């Protein structure tokens, strides 16, 4: 049966008219009677939140029945759940929809290899008789009359995660995910009208994050039902909900890992050895067969909200600039901040700026929580952008000078930051003060940082006297998104600033802590789902090719974070585009004729799925920061020419920056390791160039001549130059 268009959907009409009924059974288990089963923190809350969201979304459906079992209400015992399941199934009619949701542990019974959903009274030594067998659940649904049957399972929990580093993995012997997928596939193939949604794919687990207050999968189910997954006319369909949950779950974990990489960079800089492990992937999975348009609800009417959890204050001291006003506009429109500004001049006084800062930092801290605060998707965040100069008074007090008679004492600012309970983004723009050095910036940042338990991003930059606008311009450029919905985290802003300012005389220092969650500078916005098209996350990728090359395999490998396989596919595609498969490498002539559109397509995929870590454009910025026409070794310059000597030195510097060279030796490609420690620009590797620049001597790869090095680098420059061409 082909999907029915939303606007002509029979299920929508039937549900709204009351001729079809929606049956909802939700189960969540935190605590287990068997001490061998680890406790979970959020399944009961998941059930509560999902129940509220479903209740609100289905207000327009007169025929509905919702039954919930969790630790804080009617207990999730096997007898209770089994009875409700059978009672509901027996009462269904052909036009009805039945949905079963479970959040808790799922296990694989060792001897029979059956998947069992663990209820409160499940015993590990008798899983088959004390748990809800997946086959039993599916058989009850298969025997019922409901034309549309949905199963949502958040059943592969890892246990609770703190926000800093992944932990708590369960034994592979009891991880039921592969069997879950297989059993549900078999069920879907036998009967139409079946729709299963799993919190994760094979060999994965489902994670809980304290900052979200839910398992990440169910958190986005709730937000989708609250209207984030609705189409342009407010209809919430199962497919649209799946696409929303998939995108948001994958993006959240990618952002968490991006934040961890910056935090780990800071830890390494301080000589700490306790580096946080990145979070493993979690990609929700859909298994569906013969289902038309499954309508789950209608976007609830928005409640009156008076709180403004995102507050920003732009303070423009001397020297004056037009950039802060542009930033103010970006923060207000794209950043969703309630934004205020303060500028030098007029009737402004020192007391005014102190009151403005206090209002920005403390207004949310002392606001009363609304009854709906638990489901508010906006985390309280404050952003303070200060433009001025760092100075020390004759009394040895550290102050930030906005004007001759207007200053902010550092100790006073520290006190206000400590009173603030919101996430903080603090930016110090020290225009024209690059001569003060990093030490002074570091002292300010270290004095104002609040520790690792508070979500805080601190960025301080001192610009050269000749280019006082360079930092503010760089920030504005980064904050001006090419696609408004992609968003930008604090970690992403820091990473991009490091790349963009690497080749300048700016002094940049930063701090990031985020144990309480991801700090969003520009929140990701949800795209409205179109009426006639329901797209996968993959469909939003630009796979355009001017020469008819298919980039689907590359996209899929990158999405799965199979980095080295994606790198091999990139080499194959580069050769295919240039028609050089037979030769096995590109030369200067083929690069001169290489279509820029193909390179941009490959680059966009790498940048997107690596969260800005990898890609030709990332390598291009590193290359631009290293370019030089004068060699450091004058003797080599005399021997082979200054241009070739400079090229050889740049090539070696580039190799060190991107991780292709370690301890004065080039790393063999077979030893490449892609993990959270891989530097920016590590991939794609230039395997599509002939490796004429090195030979094997006594078992060690090494350069055979500076001339060959320069020749190879000439190819690299030609490639990266394509990215700059218009």
């Amino acid at each position: 049966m082909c999907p029915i268009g939303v606007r002509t959907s029979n299920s929508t009409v039937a549900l709204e008219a009351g001729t079809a009924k929606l049956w909802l059974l939700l189960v969540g288990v935190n605590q287990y009677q068997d001490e061998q089963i680890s406790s979970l923190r959020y399944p009961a809350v998941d059930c509560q939140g999902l129940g509220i969201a479903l209740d609100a979304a289905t207000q327009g459906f007169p025929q509905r029945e919702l039954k919930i079992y969790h630790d804080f209400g009617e207990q999730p015992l096997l007898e209770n759940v089994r009875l409700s399941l059978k009672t509901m199934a027996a009462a269904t009619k052909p036009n009805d929809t039945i949905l079963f949701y479970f959040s808790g542990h799922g296990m694989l019974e060792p001897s029979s290899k059956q998947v069992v959903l663990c209820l409160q009274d499940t015993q590990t030594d008798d899983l088959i008789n004390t748990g809800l067998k997946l086959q039993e659940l599916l058989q009850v649904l298969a025997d019922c009359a409901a034309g549309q049957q949905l199963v949502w399972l958040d059943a592969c929990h890892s246990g609770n995660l703190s926000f800093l580093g992944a932990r708590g993995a369960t034994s592979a012997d009891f991880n039921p995910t592969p069997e879950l997928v297989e059993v549900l596939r078999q069920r879907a193939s036998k009967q139409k009208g079946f729709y299963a949604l799993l919190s994760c794919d094979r060999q994965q687990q489902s994670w809980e994050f304290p900052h979200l207050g839910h398992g990440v999968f169910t958190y986005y189910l709730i937000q989708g039902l609250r209207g984030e997954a609705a189409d342009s006319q407010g209809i919430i369909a199962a497919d649209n909900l799946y696409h929303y949950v998939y995108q948001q779950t994958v993006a959240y974990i990618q952002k968490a890992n991006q934040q961890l990489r910056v935090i780990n960079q800071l830890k390494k800089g301080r000589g700490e050895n306790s580096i946080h492990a990145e979070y493993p992937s979690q990609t929700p999975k859909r298994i569906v067969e013969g289902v038309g348009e499954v309508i789950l609800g209608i976007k609830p009417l928005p409640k009156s909200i008076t709180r403004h959890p995102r507050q920003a204050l732009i303070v423009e001291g001397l020297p004056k600039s037009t950039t802060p006003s542009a930033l103010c506009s970006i923060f207000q429109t794209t950043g969703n901040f309630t934004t205020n500004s303060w500028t030098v001049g007029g009737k402004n006084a020192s007391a005014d700026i102190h009151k403005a800062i206090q209002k920005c930092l403390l207004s949310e801290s002392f606001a009363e929580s609304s009854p709906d605060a638990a489901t508010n998707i906006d985390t309280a965040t404050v952003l303070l952008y200060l433009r001025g100069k760092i100075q020390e008074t004759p009394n040895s007090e550290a102050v930030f000078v906005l004007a001759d008679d207007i200053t902010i004492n550092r100790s006073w600012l520290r006190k206000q930051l400590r009173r603030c309970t919101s996430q903080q983004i603090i930016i110090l723009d020290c225009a024209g003060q690059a001569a003060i050095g990093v030490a002074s910036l570091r002292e300010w940042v270290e004095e104002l940082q609040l520790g690792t338990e508070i979500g805080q991003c601190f960025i301080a930059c001192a610009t050269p006297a000749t280019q006082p606008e360079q930092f503010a311009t760089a920030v504005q450029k980064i904050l001006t998104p090419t696609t408004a919905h992609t968003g930008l985290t604090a970690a992403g802003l820091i990473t991009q600033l490091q790349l963009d300012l690497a080749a300048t005389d700016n002094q940049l220092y930063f701090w990031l802590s985020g144990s309480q969650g991801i700090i969003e500078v520009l929140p990701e916005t949800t795209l409205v789902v179109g009426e006639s098209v329901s797209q996968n996350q993959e469909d939003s990728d630009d796979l355009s090719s001017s020469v008819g090359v298919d980039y689907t395999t590359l996209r899929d490998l990158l999405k799965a974070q199979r980095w080295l396989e994606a790198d091999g596919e990139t080499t194959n595609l580069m050769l295919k585009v240039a028609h050089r498969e037979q030769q096995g490498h590109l030369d200067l002539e083929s690069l001169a004729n290489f279509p820029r559109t193909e390179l941009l397509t490959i680059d966009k995929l790498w940048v997107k799925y690596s969260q800005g870590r990898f890609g030709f454009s990332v390598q291009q910025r590193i290359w631009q920061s290293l370019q030089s026409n004068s060699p450091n070794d004058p003797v080599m310059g005399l021997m082979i020419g200054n241009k070739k000597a400079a090229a050889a030195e740049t090539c070696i510097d580039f190799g060190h920056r991107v991780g292709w060279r370690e301890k004065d030796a080039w790393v063999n490609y077979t030893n490449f390791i892609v993990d959270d420690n891989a530097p920016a620009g590590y991939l794609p590797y230039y395997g599509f160039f002939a490796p004429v620049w090195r030979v094997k001597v006594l078992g060690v790869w090494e350069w055979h001549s500076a001339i060959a090095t320069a020749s190879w680098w000439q190819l690299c420059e030609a490639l990266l130059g394509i990215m700059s061409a218009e």
Side-chain angles (χ1 to χ4, degrees), residues 12 51 139 175 181 195 241 267 269 313 351 389 432 546 719:
T12 309
Q139 190 60 53
N175 184 357
V181 172
Y195 197 120
L241 180 62
K267 291 171 75 69
L313 176 63
K389 295 182 181 295
S546 61
L719 171 72

Side-chain angles (χ1 to χ4, degrees), residues 106-118 124 127-128 172-180 183:
M107 287 189 177
L108 190 65
E109 202 282 323
S111 59
S112 65
K113 300 299 182 184
Q114 289 195 60
V115 177
V116 177
L117 305 181
C118 297
T124 53
L127 285 173
I128 294 296
D173 294 336
F174 287 92
N175 184 357
T177 314
E179 285 72 17
L180 262 175
V183 170

Side-chain angles (χ1 to χ4, degrees), residues 428-674:
L428 298 185
D429 181 358
C430 306
Q433 281 200 292
I436 67 173
V438 174
S440 296
L441 291 177
R442 180 186 297 114
E443 185 179 340
W444 267 78
V445 174
E446 290 179 350
E447 280 291 312
L448 296 176
Q449 64 186 235
L450 303 179
T452 59
E453 297 305 314
I454 304 298
Q456 186 186 47
C457 168
F458 212 117
I459 301 172
C461 185
T463 60
T466 55
Q467 294 179 299
E469 303 296 315
Q470 200 166 34
F471 171 71
T473 301
V475 172
Q476 181 182 359
K477 180 181 177 182
I478 294 169
L479 294 178
T480 305
T482 54
T483 54
H485 69 279
T486 54
L488 179 70
T489 64
L493 175 60
I494 290 171
T495 300
Q496 196 61 54
L497 281 171
Q498 289 182 89
L499 290 171
D500 290 355
L501 300 178
T504 69
D505 294 326
N506 291 273
Q507 303 292 341
L508 179 68
Y509 197 76
F510 58 88
W511 163 262
L512 180 66
S513 61
S515 61
Q516 298 305 309
I518 297 168
I519 302 175
E520 301 271 9
V521 181
L522 304 180
E524 184 174 351
T525 57
T526 305
L527 295 176
V528 175
V529 181
E531 287 188 5
S532 59
V533 180
S534 180
Q535 294 187 333
N536 289 326
Q537 185 240 8
E538 298 92 339
D539 295 333
S540 64
D541 291 320
D542 180 8
L543 303 181
S544 58
S545 171
S546 61
V547 294
V549 172
D550 184 4
Y551 292 104
T552 303
T553 300
L554 175 61
R555 186 269 316 281
D556 292 344
L557 290 171
L558 289 170
K559 185 186 72 170
Q561 298 187 7
R562 293 158 62 178
W563 304 118
L564 291 178
E565 292 176 70
D567 189 55
E569 176 67 8
T570 298
T571 294
N572 295 335
L573 291 170
M574 295 286 289
L575 296 174
K576 184 175 183 178
V577 169
H579 304 292
R580 298 277 295 180
E581 296 103 317
Q582 298 255 342
Q583 295 83 352
H585 63 271
L586 305 180
D587 56 13
L588 286 175
E589 183 180 353
S590 59
L591 284 172
N593 298 312
F594 200 95
R596 183 169 182 262
T597 53
E598 309 305 307
L599 204 62
L600 291 177
T601 296
I602 294 172
D603 176 62
K604 288 176 182 176
L605 290 172
W606 273 99
V607 171
K608 173 180 178 178
Y609 287 105
S610 69
Q611 290 288 292
R613 293 176 66 198
F614 306 140
F616 293 128
S617 58
V618 177
Q619 295 167 342
Q620 179 201 32
R621 287 191 292 271
I622 296 172
W623 163 59
Q624 290 173 338
S625 73
L626 298 172
Q627 287 185 88
S628 174
N629 294 321
S630 301
N632 294 322
D633 186 343
V635 176
M636 185 63 70
L638 289 172
M639 292 176 60
I640 66 173
N642 285 337
K643 186 175 181 180
K644 289 183 178 179
E649 290 177 357
T650 302
C651 183
I652 291 173
D653 289 343
F654 180 85
H656 280 295
R657 283 283 297 275
V658 300
W660 298 351
R661 185 176 172 89
E662 293 180 359
K663 299 179 180 178
D664 296 324
W666 292 86
V667 179
N668 193 338
Y669 185 73
T670 58
N671 295 325
F672 270 37
I673 299 175
V674 188

